[in-house]
């Protein structure tokens, strides 16, 4: 090794902040990758699931004889065959000791609680043969009454699980007065009724389906000493633990691999019945088995999201200062309590108050079981639901006061000089600047000009009215602080792990416990490590998604990858530097205290002598000239458990045109300015924001899972479940402000869910704003032309007759509703 005497003239350009194209994309977009369904093993069998057509039934008999005789069939397995070895789908977040949690078997034995549940599994030589034989399995059912509506479920007249005796799974409350973070909400509301303003509204969060690009797929090879499972999942480490915990297989004998995963949005954070069924059948038959779902199966039996009734009461003084907020939720869990399904509404509990300085706050959620597909986390998980409700309420308050809705928000939000700020819900927001984000958004949007155009259209009675929607939001990111999760009965920690291996050639391997499914981890982590260690971006390799390679981790969800996972990477890199300093000092015949590290080189203070990181790595590997007692390794591990969540925020502004004669809507302009702390890769951030915006806008305008009165999913294909395409959206204007997080070394806050959280209320507020002069104060999502038109007709009827009782009522006094969807109304 040669010790060089001079440094490069120019320090390397920092990687953090560069818009690098993603390393991953070359193999992903050219098909040179391994999706789970691409995996082929010698002697592998293909599985098909036999699913219940009924929402609620008992199984009286299953005849598999004809299916067993079908061409290519190797075996047919029922729930009774594997009852004691198949494991169970766990609930990792019981809200309290009183929670009712039905037993959730991957392959049911005698009771079906929702359409699409697996009642038998067929294994055959080919996927086509397995599917054909599955149709020959004869199942006798005794159909039972099904509960499908949240408000009916509360009555307990029909039970989703008769053995539980109730449809209520749990009741959970957060009260600012009880925890000392605020005053009593009933006192504030009473005072406002006497001398102030009280707004009461009820909103419907419709059921959504996480429509990821790659359907779920699982391959299990039970033939070696160690069982290996490839699966399209967000949570390989969690899956490994739960397979071991519920099946009795030693954890050391379970290897889970998440290869390239084609999207998830929360929809792949489950440990799914299909995964457990594939493992159980493969073990029973002693052969590798593969299951890949069809798109219809994905829509039917993959977990759904959202699905809440929200009742809010907001009190304020006459001058517009908010005082109290009371939130009462009914949350549909579907037929089972998912891995974190019961806790999803609780994630929103700290966000209904958002960025506003309420004096009092009270939140209660009742989680309910119904005979529909189970519900769990979907992009944002509780935060979009909360943001939608409070941003709709702030618009309603402004309308009641006859004031500009942005002005009312500004009057009530936390100002930049008040950070850190402890909210009425008890969360401490560390940094933010809502004024800066809003000022930039207004300028990019042309807010004053659009308000002027809106006024002209109203004055001229233009049949196409213009509405302006606002969403000023914050969210809690980085699901992590283990101590906080422990106080909430969460079944795991929130820490994250990383390792860095320094190779003899100076190249770097990064092992991360988070598992990407499209976020760009390989690129962003390479940028972070390149800057930290002073090595070229191209010399960093990021390894992930395999519990045998990256053995420790808590995986990917809740915008935690960067703010928790990358922080672990930073700490591991810092440990590498500290180890390398000792070797460098020895090589340079200097004291460790005199060694400086910058730009990838170790130098002696006040001299030009130095060695590069690759030179130190090689010297360490050879072990020829190391200080006494120093191991020949720079490899380092780190685990990071943050003290708090991170709190990105932003201002989203939307202009919508509404044809008052047809109800048709058209997006005119959309501007968002997000503050996500320090940005690692602007190009990746832009992609995350755009994708989130489209998902949130889709909830507002197009998407919604619907069931008929028998519990059959009638939006079971993309013909009926209307996902938008690029042709349905416009070009968005995006920008950023930066207030770094004080909880992380990098200053990052998280961006994966921001667009989906903020955009839905911005769009709906714009539509309502356009037609509010016509007597409309709500439109039920998705805001289809028919629903907008019906809302306008109902509003005009009230305006004409001057009596709200004259308005059409389709569901217990719920106006503005499509009578063909009797449970989808919204109370104004």
């Amino acid at each position: 090794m040669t010790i060089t005497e001079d440094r490069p003239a120019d320090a390397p350009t920092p990687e953090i902040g560069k818009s690098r194209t993603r390393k991953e994309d070359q193999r992903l977009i050219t098909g040179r990758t391994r999706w789970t369904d691409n995996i082929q093993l010698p002697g592998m069998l293909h599985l098909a699931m036999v699913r219940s057509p009924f929402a609620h039934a008992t199984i009286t008999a299953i005849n598999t004889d004809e299916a067993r005789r079908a061409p290519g069939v190797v075996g047919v397995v029922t729930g009774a065959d594997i009852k004691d070895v198949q494991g169970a789908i766990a609930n990792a977040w019981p809200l309290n000791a009183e929670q009712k949690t039905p037993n959730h078997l991957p392959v049911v034995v005698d009771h079906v609680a929702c359409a699409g549940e697996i009642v038998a599994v067929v294994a055959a030589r080919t996927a086509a043969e397995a599917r054909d034989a599955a149709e020959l399995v004869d199942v006798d059912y005794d159909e039972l009454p099904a509960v499908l509506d949240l408000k009916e479920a509360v009555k307990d007249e029909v039970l989703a699980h008769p053995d539980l005796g109730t449809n209520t799974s749990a009741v959970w409350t957060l009260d600012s007065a009880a925890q000392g973070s605020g005053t009593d909400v009933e006192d504030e509301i009473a005072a406002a009724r006497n001398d102030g303003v009280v707004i009461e509204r009820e909103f419907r969060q419709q059921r959504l389906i996480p429509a990821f690009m790659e359907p779920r797929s699982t391959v299990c090879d039970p033939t070696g000493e160690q069982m290996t499972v490839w699966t399209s999942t967000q949570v390989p480490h969690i899956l490994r633990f739960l397979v071991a915990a519920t099946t009795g297989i030693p954890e050391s004998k379970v290897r889970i691999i998440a290869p390239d995963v084609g999207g998830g949005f929360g929809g792949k954070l489950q440990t799914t019945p299909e995964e457990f069924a594939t493992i159980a059948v493969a073990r029973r038959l002693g052969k590798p088995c593969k299951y890949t779902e069809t798109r219809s199966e994905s829509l039917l039996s993959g977990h759904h999201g959202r699905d809440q009734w929200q009742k809010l009461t907001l009190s304020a003084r006459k001058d517009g200062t908010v005082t109290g907020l009371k939130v009462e939720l009914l949350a549909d869990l579907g037929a089972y309590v998912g891995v974190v399904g019961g806790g999803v509404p609780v994630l929103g509990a700290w966000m209904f108050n958002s960025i506003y300085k309420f004096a009092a706050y009270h939140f209660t959620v009742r989680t309910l079981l119904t005979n529909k597909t189970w519900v769990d986390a979907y992009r944002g998980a509780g935060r979009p639901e909360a943001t939608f409700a409070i941003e709709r309420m702030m618009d309603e308050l402004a309308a009641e006061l006859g004031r500009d809705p942005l002005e009312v928000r500004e009057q009530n939000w936390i100002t930049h000089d008040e950070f850190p700020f402890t909210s009425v819900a008890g969360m401490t927001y560390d940094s933010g600047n809502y004024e800066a984000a809003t000022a930039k958004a207004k300028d990019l949007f042309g807010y004053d000009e659009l308000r002027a155009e809106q006024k002209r259209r109203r004055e001229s009675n233009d049949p196409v009215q213009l509405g302006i929607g606002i969403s000023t939001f914050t969210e809690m990111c980085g699901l992590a602080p283990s101590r906080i999760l422990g106080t909430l009965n969460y079944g795991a920690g929130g820490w994250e792990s990383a390792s860095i291996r320094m190779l003899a050639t100076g190249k770097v391997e990064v092992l991360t416990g988070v598992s990407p499914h499209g976020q760009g981890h390989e690129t962003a982590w390479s940028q972070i490590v390149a800057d930290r260690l002073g090595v070229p971006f191209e010399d960093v390799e990021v390894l992930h998604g395999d519990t045998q390679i990256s053995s420790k981790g808590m995986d990917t969800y809740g915008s935690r990858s960067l703010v928790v996972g990358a922080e672990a990477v930073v700490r591991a890199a810092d440990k590498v530097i500290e180890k390398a300093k000792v070797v460098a000092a020895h090589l340079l015949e200097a004291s460790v205290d005199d060694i400086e590290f910058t730009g990838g080189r170790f130098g002696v203070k006040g001299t030009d002598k130095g060695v590069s990181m690759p030179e130190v790595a090689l010297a360490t590997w050879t072990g020829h000239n190391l200080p006494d007692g120093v191991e020949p390794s720079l490899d380092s591990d780190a685990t990071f458990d943050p003290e708090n969540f991170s709190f990105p925020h932003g201002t989203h502004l939307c202009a919508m045109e509404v044809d008052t004669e047809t109800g048709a809507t058209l997006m005119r302009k959309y501007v968002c300015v997000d503050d996500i702390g320090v940005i690692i890769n602007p190009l990746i951030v832009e992609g995350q924001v755009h994708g989130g915006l489209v998902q949130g806008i889709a909830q507002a305008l197009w998407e919604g899972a619907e069931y008929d009165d028998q519990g059959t999913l009638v939006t079971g294909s993309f013909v009926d479940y209307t996902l938008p395409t690029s042709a349905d959206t416009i070009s968005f204007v995006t920008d950023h402000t930066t207030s770094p997080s004080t909880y992380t070394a990098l200053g990052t806050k998280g961006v994966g869910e921001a667009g989906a959280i903020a955009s839905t209320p911005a769009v709906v507020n714009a539509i309502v704003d356009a037609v509010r002069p016509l007597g409309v104060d709500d439109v039920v999502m998705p805001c289809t032309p028919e629903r907008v038109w019906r809302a306008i007709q109902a509003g005009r009827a009230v305006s004409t007759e001057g009596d709200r009782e004259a308005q059409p009522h389709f569901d217990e006094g719920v106006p503005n509703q499509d009578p063909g969807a009797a449970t989808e109304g919204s109370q104004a």
Side-chain angles (χ1 to χ4, degrees):
M1 185 198 73
T2 301
I3 298 176
T4 55
E5 296 291 333
D6 56 344
R7 297 185 182 188
D10 298 318
T13 304
E15 283 291 335
I16 291 178
K18 280 187 181 178
S19 288
R20 278 197 175 271
T21 54
R22 301 194 313 180
K23 285 184 173 183
E24 307 90 317
D25 285 351
Q26 179 63 29
R27 70 174 189 272
L28 293 175
I29 65 178
T30 60
R32 298 177 182 273
T33 187
R34 291 188 89 192
W35 310 110
T36 302
D37 191 44
N38 294 148
I39 294 168
Q40 301 293 330
L41 301 177
M44 187 176 71
L45 302 178
H46 295 263
L47 305 184
M49 306 298 169
V50 182
R51 300 182 182 275
S52 169
F54 298 109
H56 198 196
T58 55
I59 299 172
T60 58
I62 302 179
N63 189 324
T64 63
D65 293 345
E66 190 174 355
R68 291 179 190 276
R69 293 192 295 267
V73 171
V74 175
V76 181
V77 179
T78 67
D81 294 332
I82 53 174
K83 181 178 180 180
D84 298 327
V85 298
Q86 65 173 323
I89 309 303
N91 167 230
W93 195 348
L95 294 187
N96 49 44
E98 293 75 34
Q99 176 174 295
K100 302 287 187 182
T101 309
N103 188 30
H104 190 179
L105 294 177
V107 183
V108 301
V109 176
D110 52 21
H111 178 248
V112 171
C114 63
E117 280 211 83
I118 304 168
V119 299
V121 184
V122 175
R125 301 292 181 193
T126 69
E129 288 172 329
R131 288 193 295 268
D132 289 344
E135 297 182 4
L136 302 178
V137 176
D138 187 13
V139 185
D140 290 336
Y141 300 92
D142 278 346
E143 193 172 0
L144 299 171
V147 58
L148 303 167
D149 177 79
L150 266 172
K151 293 189 175 181
E152 289 300 316
V154 175
K155 300 174 184 178
D156 282 342
E157 293 174 355
V158 178
L159 299 178
H161 293 271
D163 59 308
L164 297 181
T166 180
N167 290 319
T168 296
S169 178
V171 177
W172 190 91
T173 296
L174 187 157
D175 180 43
S176 65
Q179 68 180 18
S181 58
T183 57
D184 184 87
V185 75
E186 297 297 346
D187 290 345
E188 297 292 350
I189 293 171
R193 290 192 193 281
N194 182 54
D195 187 28
V197 179
V198 176
I199 308 292
E200 295 177 290
R201 295 289 186 272
E202 192 166 327
F203 303 116
R204 183 73 168 103
Q205 279 280 322
Q206 79 269 40
R207 178 176 281 244
L208 301 177
I209 303 177
F212 30 74
M213 184 177 293
E214 176 207 17
R216 296 173 302 162
S217 182
T218 300
V219 174
C220 177
D221 184 359
T223 59
E225 286 296 315
Q226 188 181 49
M227 182 181 71
T228 302
V229 179
W230 295 262
T231 186
S232 182
T233 183
Q234 298 174 220
V235 290
H237 297 91
I238 292 173
L239 177 59
R240 182 193 192 200
F241 169 78
L242 290 176
V243 166
T246 65
T247 65
I249 305 172
E251 189 173 359
S252 62
K253 297 295 185 183
V254 180
R255 179 184 184 185
I256 306 293
I257 302 172
D260 284 319
V261 175
F265 313 121
K268 292 178 182 173
L269 65 72
Q270 289 297 338
T271 56
T272 70
E274 291 80 4
E275 288 168 331
F276 277 74
T278 301
I279 291 168
V281 173
R283 293 178 69 205
R284 181 179 177 85
L285 299 179
K287 293 180 179 294
C289 290
K290 178 196 288 186
Y291 167 74
T292 300
E293 68 185 1
T294 65
R295 182 59 67 180
S296 293
E297 285 179 298
S298 178
L299 296 173
L300 171 66
S301 61
H303 82 248
H304 294 173
R306 312 284 193 255
D307 208 345
Q308 293 180 359
W309 275 101
Q310 306 173 316
K311 182 179 179 181
L312 279 79
T313 305
L314 182 150
S315 62
R317 301 192 188 107
K318 288 181 179 179
D319 68 354
T321 302
V322 296
T323 57
L325 181 65
K326 182 178 180 181
V327 178
E328 300 166 88
L329 296 188
L330 299 179
D332 193 346
L333 299 180
Y336 297 101
V337 189
V339 172
V340 294
V344 166
V346 170
L347 283 175
W350 290 279
M351 290 288 102
F352 276 88
N353 53 284
S354 190
I355 65 175
Y356 307 114
K357 296 182 286 189
F358 287 95
Y361 175 58
H362 188 281
F363 170 95
T364 300
V365 59
R366 181 183 297 272
T367 59
L368 290 152
L369 296 161
T370 62
N371 295 117
K372 294 188 286 189
T373 300
W374 44 324
V375 171
D376 212 304
Y378 173 58
R379 197 171 191 170
R383 281 76 50 82
E385 296 92 313
T387 300
F388 177 84
I390 187 59
E391 288 305 291
R392 287 287 295 109
M393 290 297 281
M394 293 305 289
D395 260 32
E396 294 304 297
L397 174 62
E400 179 71 20
L401 297 171
R403 293 174 56 188
D404 184 285
L406 199 50
E407 178 187 290
V408 172
R409 286 169 167 82
E410 183 175 5
Q411 176 182 339
N412 286 287
W413 69 38
I414 305 157
T415 59
H416 71 278
D417 56 357
E418 293 180 286
F419 289 97
F421 185 91
T422 300
S423 75
V424 71
M427 278 287 174
T428 300
Y429 302 167
D430 63 322
S431 66
N433 192 329
Y434 310 136
E435 302 98 309
T438 302
K440 182 175 280 192
K442 284 183 66 177
D443 182 58
L444 293 170
F445 190 66
Y447 187 83
D448 294 337
E449 293 85 351
L450 284 168
R451 282 291 185 202
E453 179 184 342
Q454 179 187 57
K455 181 180 179 182
R456 292 194 299 272
R457 289 197 185 199
R458 288 180 176 177
E459 291 173 347
S460 66
N461 291 318
D462 193 323
V464 178
Q465 288 291 309
L466 179 66
I468 297 172
I470 301 164
S471 177
T472 53
F473 81 106
T474 189
E475 57 163 320
M476 48 189 279
C477 277
L479 187 64
S482 296
R483 291 186 179 183
I484 294 176
L485 295 178
T487 65
L488 297 173
N489 291 328
Y490 187 75
W495 50 265
E496 198 45 74
S497 179
S499 301
I500 290 184
R501 299 173 181 161
M502 290 300 302
L503 305 181
T505 55
K507 312 301 183 183
V508 184
E509 288 181 341
V510 179
L511 285 65
T512 178
V514 292
S515 183
H517 44 281
Q519 295 92 335
H521 290 28
E522 294 176 30
T523 302
W525 274 223
S526 294
Q527 291 179 267
I528 292 166
V529 171
D531 273 1
R532 211 72 178 185
L533 298 183
V535 297
F537 169 82
E538 294 78 12
D539 287 354
V540 183
E541 189 77 19
V542 180
L543 307 176
H544 55 79
D546 184 336
T547 61
Q548 191 156 291
I549 294 174
S550 177
S551 60
K552 294 187 296 183
M554 285 293 176
D555 304 319
T556 298
Y557 40 84
S559 295
R560 69 186 305 273
S561 292
L562 186 63
V563 296
V564 188
E567 287 294 315
V569 171
V570 167
R571 282 156 175 75
D574 289 346
K575 288 183 179 181
V576 168
I577 294 168
E578 291 306 308
K579 285 184 177 182
K581 275 185 178 180
V582 176
V583 178
H586 181 73
L587 297 173
L588 296 169
E589 299 179 341
S591 167
V592 172
D593 294 337
D594 289 333
I595 297 297
E596 297 176 317
F597 179 72
T598 180
R601 292 182 60 79
F602 297 91
V604 181
K605 294 177 184 176
T607 75
D608 291 332
K609 280 206 315 183
V611 289
S612 67
M613 178 64 82
E615 289 172 319
V616 174
L618 181 60
T620 304
W621 177 76
T622 64
H624 295 165
N625 184 20
L626 296 178
D628 293 341
V630 172
E631 297 178 351
S633 173
L634 300 180
D635 297 352
S636 297
D637 303 330
T639 299
F640 175 63
D641 196 348
E643 60 184 280
N644 198 359
F645 301 94
S646 65
F647 299 94
H649 68 83
T651 298
H652 288 225
L653 301 175
C654 176
M656 296 289 294
E657 293 184 342
V658 179
D659 189 325
T660 60
E661 296 176 345
T662 66
T665 61
L666 179 67
M667 186 172 291
R668 166 91 167 268
K669 191 171 187 178
Y670 196 102
V671 169
C672 64
V673 175
D674 288 298
D675 188 330
I676 59 170
V678 174
I679 294 174
I680 304 300
N681 185 315
L683 187 63
I684 290 177
V685 166
E686 189 82 353
Q688 288 278 11
V689 171
H690 276 242
L693 289 178
V694 173
Q695 281 185 278
I697 293 167
Q699 178 177 3
L701 296 178
W702 299 296
E703 291 187 41
E706 300 284 352
Y707 287 82
D708 65 18
D709 57 8
Q710 300 299 309
T712 301
L713 182 70
V714 296
T715 51
S717 75
F718 286 154
V719 173
D720 303 296
Y721 190 82
T722 48
L723 290 180
T725 69
S726 58
D728 299 303
T729 59
I730 64 171
S731 294
F732 309 120
V733 178
T734 65
D735 209 330
H736 302 277
T737 55
T738 301
S739 52
S741 170
T742 63
Y743 295 127
T744 59
L746 292 170
T748 57
K749 292 185 175 181
V751 70
E753 298 163 307
I757 290 171
S759 57
T760 309
V763 173
V764 176
N765 277 340
I767 292 171
V768 174
D769 184 55
V771 294
R772 192 180 291 278
L774 302 178
V776 177
D777 57 16
D778 193 29
V779 179
V780 182
M781 296 189 293
C783 300
T784 61
E786 180 183 359
R787 287 185 173 180
V788 174
W789 182 85
R790 287 182 179 275
I792 292 170
Q793 304 315 304
R796 281 173 170 161
V798 171
S799 299
T800 300
E801 298 181 28
D803 179 7
R804 181 167 288 275
E805 291 303 313
Q807 185 170 339
H809 290 233
F810 300 115
D811 180 25
E812 299 180 352
V814 180
N816 300 346
Q817 181 183 326
D818 178 358
T823 63
E824 299 297 319
S826 177
Q827 176 112 6

